[in-house]
Amino acid sequence: MHIVEYRTLIVVWLVLVGLTAVLVAASFVSPALAVLAMLFITPTKAGLVLYIFMHLKYEAPLFKIMVLVALATLVIFIGMTFLDVAFR
Amino acid sequence: MSDPVHEALDHRDPEGARVGMWLFLLTEMLLFGGLFLLYAVYRGRYPHEFASAGKELSHVFGIANTFVLLTSSLSVACCLTALQKGQKRLCMTLLAVTALLAVTFLVNKWLEWGAKIHHGLYPGGPGLIGRPPGEVLFFGLYYSTTGLHGLHVLAGLIVLVVVLGLVAVDRVTPDDHVLLENAGLYWHLVDVVWIFILPLFYLTV
Amino acid sequence: MSQHEPAGADARSYLDRQGAGGLWSWIGSVDHKRIGVLYLTLMVTMFWVAVTIGILMRIEQWTAGPTIMQPATYNGLFTVHGVIMIFMFVVPGLPAVFGNFFLPILIGAGDVSFPRVNLASWWFFVTGALLAVLSLFTGSGAPDTGWTFYAPYSLRTGTNVSLAVFAAFVLGMSSILTGINFITTVHRLRAPGMTWHRMPLFVWALYATGWIQVIATPIIGITLLLVIAERFFGIGVFDPAKGGDPLLYQHLFWIYSHPAVYVMIVPAMGAITEIIPTFARRTIFGYKAIAYSSLAIAAFGSIVWAHHMFTSGMGEAANLVFSLFTFIVAVPSAIKVFNWTATLYRGSIELAPPMLYALTFIFLFSLGGLTGVMQGALALNVHLHDTYFIVGHFHYVMFGGTGFAFFAALLYWFPKMFGRMYCRATAVVAWVPLFVGFNLFYFSMLVLGLMGMPRRYFDHLPQFHTGHSVATVGAFVLVLGLAIFFGNLVKALFRGERAPADPWGGRTLEWTLSSPPPVENFAAIPTITGGPYAYNPGRKA
C-alpha cells in the first residue's frame, strides 16, 4: 500500500491548472499554436492524472501494460479508420 | 450472498479488485474513444465549420468546469491519503467537497446546455437549420459527448455519496479501503475524459 | 464408478438443495457453476427460438414467390434470427457456459474473482434477452435491418430498431463484465504452482477472449447508443442528409463485430484443444504455439474489420491494407489446426462422442476458414459480397465451428456438470443427420452464392430453385439431428446413469473432482506440479 503525500497531490494539481492556463492562452494566440498545445499539453495532463492521482506510478507493471494496450488499440482503431477516410 | 461458502470465497483481494476496476475504466476509455474517432474524422473533413461552431460554445463554462473537475480530482485523491493516514473526518469532508464539486459541474452544464437550447442550438433546432453540415455535426457530437460525460458525472456523484456513507459506518476503513480507491479511480477517469473534451470542443480555433 | 474415489466425493454437490432451495437459490446464486448452468438453460432456449425462425425462412424459400409469408415478415425474421444467434448464442456460447463453469476449476480456484459481478452479468444477459424478444412484439413491427443495423436505413425504418439496439447494448455490458471477471480471475486466482505455461489451453483461450471483450465491446456500445440518439434526437453523425457519413457506422460496427467473431471462435478452439489430447491420449503438440496463437488472433483480429466493407466504397489504401491483414489473421488459426492434427498423429485415438464432434469441428471450421480467406481477395470479394456465399461461409464458421465445438464441449463436460452420462450411441446417431444435414444445407448456400443468389431476399429466381430445395431439405435433416442430440441430453439429465469422476480419462483439474463438483470445488486449493496434459510422462509438453 502506497500513501501519496498531500504535498505531491497539491503540486500535481497546481501543474494541471498551470497547463490548462497555457492551453487556453495558446488557443487565443493562433490556431496553429492551439493545435500544437492540444497535441502536447492534453496528453500530459491526462498522463499526470493517470500516473499520480490514479496511482498508476505505484502499481505493478501489469496495470501499466493494460492501460498501454487499451490506449494503443484505440490509437490503431482511429489510425486505421483514416486509411479509409483520408484516401477516399 | 446467503451461501456461507461463497461469502468466505469472496475474500479480500484489493489488488484483484483494482485490476477489475482498471479493466472497467479501459472499457470507459474506449467508449469515449468511439466518439473521439468520429470527432477526428469529421474535424478532418469540416475544419472550418468545426472552428466556427466551436466559437459559439462558451469558453467561460468550459474553463470553469475544467477547474471544478481538476479540483475535485485533487480532493478525491486527498481523501484516499487521508483515510490511509487514519484521518476519517478529513476523508469524509473531502468526499463531501468532491460531491459538491460534482454538483457544481452538473449545474454549470445545465446552465450551459440551457443557454444553447434557448438559442435553438440543438439537433433539429431552429438555430441549426440551414447551417452547413459540419456545424450540425459539431453540435451533434458536442451534445453526445458532453451528454455521455454528464451521465458519467452523475454516476460518479452517486458512487461518491455511497462511499461517503460507507466510510461513515466504517465499512470502508484504513485497512480495507479498496472501495474508496475504486470510486476515486472512477472519478479521476471522468476528469481525464473532460481533459480531452475541453480543447476538442471549447478551444477549437 | 471409478476405482479410486475422487477428493470431496462425499462433499455436497453444487446441484444439491441449498439454503431454502427453490428458484431463488439458482437465479440469486453467486456460484460460478450455477451461473454457468443458468446461462446454458437460457442460451439453449434462445437457440431453439432462433432455429425455429431459421426453419420458417427455409420453408419460405421452398417455392419461388411468397410461400408462407410476405417480404416484410421475412426481413423481420432474418434480423431476429441473426440478433438472437449472434448476441445470445454464439457470442456468450462457450465463455459464459463452459468458461463460467470450468475456468475457476481449471486453474484450481474456488470461484471467479467477482462472483457478484458474475451474477449481475447473467442478469444483464436476461434483461437483454427479454428486451430483444420484446422488440419483436411491441412498437411498430420487428426490426428489419439485419443484425448489422446498418445506417442510414436503421435510422429511418419505422420498425422497432431502438429497443433491439438497446437490447444489444445491454447484452454487450453482460459480455464486458464476464470478460473483466475472467481476466482478473486468471491473473489473481491461479492455484499455487499454476504458472502461465501450466494453464490448460481453454483458459488461455478464455483469457484472450476476455481481452477482446474488454477492448472491442465498448466501441459497439457507443455506436449503438449513437444510433438510438440519432433516432430520437437526430444528432446527424451517421445521417448523410445532415452531412454524416454512414460508412463510419460500418467502421465502428465492425471494429467491434469483427473481433466479436473471434470472441465466438477462440473459446471454441480452446474447448477443442481440451478434447483432442484427452481422446488421443497424447500431450498437446505445440502448447506454446496454441497458447500464443490465441493472443495473436485477439491482436490481429482487431485490425481486419474493414474487410467487411470492401464493396462499401472505401478508399483504395484501406482496401489493400485490410486485405493484407485478413490473409495474415488466418495464420494463427491455421497454427491451431496444424497442432491439433499433429497431436492426433500417433495418438491412441478413441472416437468417443466428444471426439467425433471435435473432429467434425476441425473439418467444418477449416472449410469455413478457407472460404473466409477467399473473400479476403479483393477481386473475388466484389463478386461474393452480399451473396449466399457469405451466409454459407458464416454458418460454416459459426455453426460448423462454434456450434459444433459447443456440442463437443457439451458432450465432453456434460457428465461432469450434471453427474449423469448420456447415451453414447444416441449421441453418435445424432451426429449423422447433423453432419449430413449441415453440409447439404450450407454447401448449397456456398454454391448458390457463387451462382449469384443475393442474401436477405425473401424470393429467388427459377435458376436457384434446385439449390434452395436442397438447402431446405438439409435444414430439416439438420433440425432432426438437433432434436436427437438435445433429446438425448435432456433424457440423460433425468434418467442417465451416474457418471464417474473421470469418464474420459482426462488429465486436467476438473476430472479430479467428483461429478457433479462439490459446492466449494476443491476441499483444499491444490498445488500444481506439472503441465495440464500429462499423458506421456517423460516427454516435455
Side-chain angles (χ1 to χ4, degrees), chain B residues 2-198:
Chain B
S2 57
D3 193 331
V5 173
H6 284 93
E7 198 68 75
L9 280 172
D10 210 354
H11 61 280
R12 277 173 50 190
D13 177 13
E15 185 164 343
R18 290 203 305 276
V19 172
M21 190 65 197
W22 271 99
L23 285 168
F24 178 69
L25 295 184
L26 299 184
T27 68
E28 295 280 17
M29 289 182 195
L30 283 147
L31 188 75
F32 282 97
L35 285 166
F36 291 144
L37 187 157
L38 290 173
Y39 178 93
V41 172
Y42 288 134
R43 178 161 178 180
R45 196 170 293 172
Y46 305 107
H48 304 299
E49 289 86 344
F50 265 51
S52 58
K55 286 205 183 85
E56 291 176 52
L57 294 191
S58 159
H59 286 92
V60 181
F61 273 121
I63 294 163
N65 264 347
T66 305
F67 186 73
V68 168
L69 274 193
L70 286 179
T71 311
S72 72
S73 238
L74 171 69
S75 63
V76 88
C78 283
C79 79
L80 180 62
T81 302
L83 192 70
Q84 285 172 325
K85 291 185 172 189
Q87 300 159 327
K88 182 180 163 187
R89 287 294 297 271
L90 180 60
C91 170
M92 289 174 61
T93 315
L94 285 167
L95 264 175
V97 168
T98 313
L100 267 176
L101 288 168
V103 174
T104 314
F105 178 93
L106 286 173
V107 170
N108 275 343
K109 189 93 267 168
W110 176 265
L111 295 175
E112 186 195 341
W113 272 34
K116 286 281 158 301
I117 291 170
H118 182 73
H119 289 105
L121 292 172
Y122 54 88
L128 280 185
I129 288 175
R131 297 269 197 116
E135 296 193 8
V136 176
L137 287 176
F138 179 87
F139 279 101
L141 281 172
Y142 161 76
Y143 279 103
S144 324
T145 313
T146 57
L148 189 65
H149 179 264
L151 284 177
H152 281 76
V153 173
L154 192 63
L157 173 62
I158 294 168
V159 169
L160 288 170
V161 171
V162 169
V163 171
L164 178 59
L166 291 175
V167 175
V169 299
D170 286 325
R171 277 282 303 277
V172 172
T173 62
D175 300 322
D176 182 9
H177 56 258
V178 73
L179 276 176
L180 174 67
E181 220 170 339
N182 280 348
L185 284 176
Y186 186 80
W187 188 253
H188 288 305
L189 188 87
V190 171
D191 188 23
V192 169
V193 171
W194 185 261
I195 285 177
F196 283 94
I197 291 179
L198 173 77

Side-chain angles (χ1 to χ4, degrees), chain C residues 209-245:
Chain C
T209 309
W211 271 105
I212 309 176
Q213 286 170 308
V214 165
I215 301 259
T217 318
I219 305 279
I220 192 82
I222 188 66
T223 313
L224 297 176
L225 287 181
L226 285 172
V227 168
I228 296 175
E230 190 84 72
R231 283 177 68 86
F232 280 100
F233 307 113
I235 51 172
V237 288
F238 299 134
D239 189 346
K242 294 180 175 163
D245 185 347

Side-chain angles (χ1 to χ4, degrees), chain C residues 380-392:
Chain C
L380 195 52
N381 186 280
V382 174
H383 179 68
L384 297 176
H385 191 81
D386 264 348
T387 67
Y388 264 37
F389 192 84
I390 305 290
V391 186

